[in-house]
Amino acid sequence: MSKLLAPAPLPVLLLLVLSACTTPARGGDDYTAFVYAGCSQARYDPGSQYAADVDTTLSSLVNSAGYTAYANYTSPSAATGLAGVYQCRSDLPAAVCGGCVKSAVSKVSSLCNSAAGAAVQLRACFVRYGNDSFLGKQDTTVLFKKCGGESAGDTGVVAMRDAALGALVAAAAPPAGDGSYRAGAAGYVQAMSQCVGDLGAKACTDCVSAASSQLKAGCGYASAGEVYLGKCYARFWSNAGGGSGNGGVPAVGGGAGTGSSNGVGGVGGANNGYAYGGFVPNTYGQHDESGKTLAIIIGLVAAVAIVIVLLSFVRRAGGVGGKS
């Protein structure tokens, strides 16, 4: 005679369901979260001198990242003319920088395998290599822009945003080579920017000014936004209603009224043979419609599962009682 399997205790099942539904997603403290990548259309042959120089360049960048927020490397091989650079957020510890650059190099290898030139931006670092003589050159090409959250037409938030972004441009430029990290705030809106260390002080200020203008013009009443140019990026976010809760720069999601984002081709211009695309994870749950939809679906699935278990429990309990 087969034994009836006792159903799982309901409190345990509920705990498991609730744990699955309430596990928090990683937000702005995920410094290695992917933002965008660009790969040149030109390729190099495996086993070639260029391939060896790429490996040497990327290894050199990884080895330096645990000690300094910025470094560049130029291959001694005149035939390839290869150079590489990385830039971490210079307000973060060296260990975070080292881990971020290592992850970025891994992304380069997987997303841009055998590409003659490539660039990868993670939340806390940027890595690029190529033979197109990009070191020390200004580049304000928009590569990726995203805005998220609505402030319900609050002109006060817009004014604070503009003031916070203006503070980035007006900030005294740090010496070139140290990463040129800047921070600004106005009311409950905060902003930050970061240039690549190969830019001089004036070039960094010009790049940050261009990034700030992009955010002001393109983010409308959004409560957060970020834009990545060829040699710098800028972000802003509102701490109204609790902010990101982690004291760091939150990952920006959604779009300014549309939920859209764009990844635009062209480090150094649209005709340089680079193809770009990217993704920034949504973390503004109160403004993220896709997040709300997902939560509703999970809730419905959980409710159905609970009903099925309860009916199974009642049926089995009735069966046991009828046989006794």
Side-chain angles (χ1 to χ4, degrees), residues 2 59 68 95 103 111 118 131 137 228 311 316:
S2 61
S59 295
T68 178
S103 294
L111 298 176
N131 62 350
K137 292 184 178 179
Y228 295 84
L311 291 175
R316 292 182 180 181

Side-chain angles (χ1 to χ4, degrees), residues 230-273:
K231 282 294 179 76
C232 71
Y233 65 84
R235 301 171 182 161
F236 75 90
W237 66 99
S238 169
N239 285 325
S244 65
N246 59 20
V249 178
V252 179
T258 64
S260 63
S261 63
N262 56 30
V264 183
V267 170
N271 298 318
N272 70 344

Side-chain angles (χ1 to χ4, degrees), residues 7-156:
L10 188 57
V12 174
L13 178 66
L14 283 174
L15 180 61
L16 292 175
V17 172
L18 290 175
S19 296
C21 294
T22 59
T23 300
R26 298 192 66 180
D29 59 345
D30 186 358
Y31 296 122
T32 60
F34 176 68
V35 178
Y36 72 79
C39 313
S40 68
Q41 296 175 352
R43 291 288 191 264
Y44 60 80
D45 295 326
S48 64
Q49 181 61 50
Y50 200 96
D53 285 357
V54 169
D55 289 342
T56 300
T57 298
L58 294 179
S59 295
S60 176
L61 298 182
V62 171
N63 291 337
S64 299
Y67 303 96
T68 178
Y70 163 80
N72 65 69
Y73 176 86
T74 301
S75 170
S77 174
T80 61
L82 188 71
V85 65
Y86 75 83
Q87 176 67 63
C88 292
R89 263 180 54 185
S90 52
D91 63 319
L92 297 176
V96 173
C97 179
C100 187
V101 170
K102 185 176 180 180
S103 294
V105 167
S106 178
K107 284 285 188 185
V108 165
S109 300
S110 61
L111 298 176
C112 302
N113 187 33
S114 298
V120 170
Q121 176 75 57
L122 304 186
R123 292 298 298 173
C125 66
F126 169 77
V127 170
R128 182 181 175 184
Y129 74 86
N131 62 350
D132 48 342
S133 304
F134 61 88
L135 284 178
K137 292 184 178 179
Q138 177 66 285
D139 185 357
T140 57
T141 306
V142 178
L143 301 180
F144 192 84
K145 180 168 65 177
K146 199 156 189 176
C147 311
E150 289 294 329
S151 55
D154 187 349
T155 56

Side-chain angles (χ1 to χ4, degrees), residues 162-174:
D162 290 352
L165 292 173
L168 298 181
V169 179

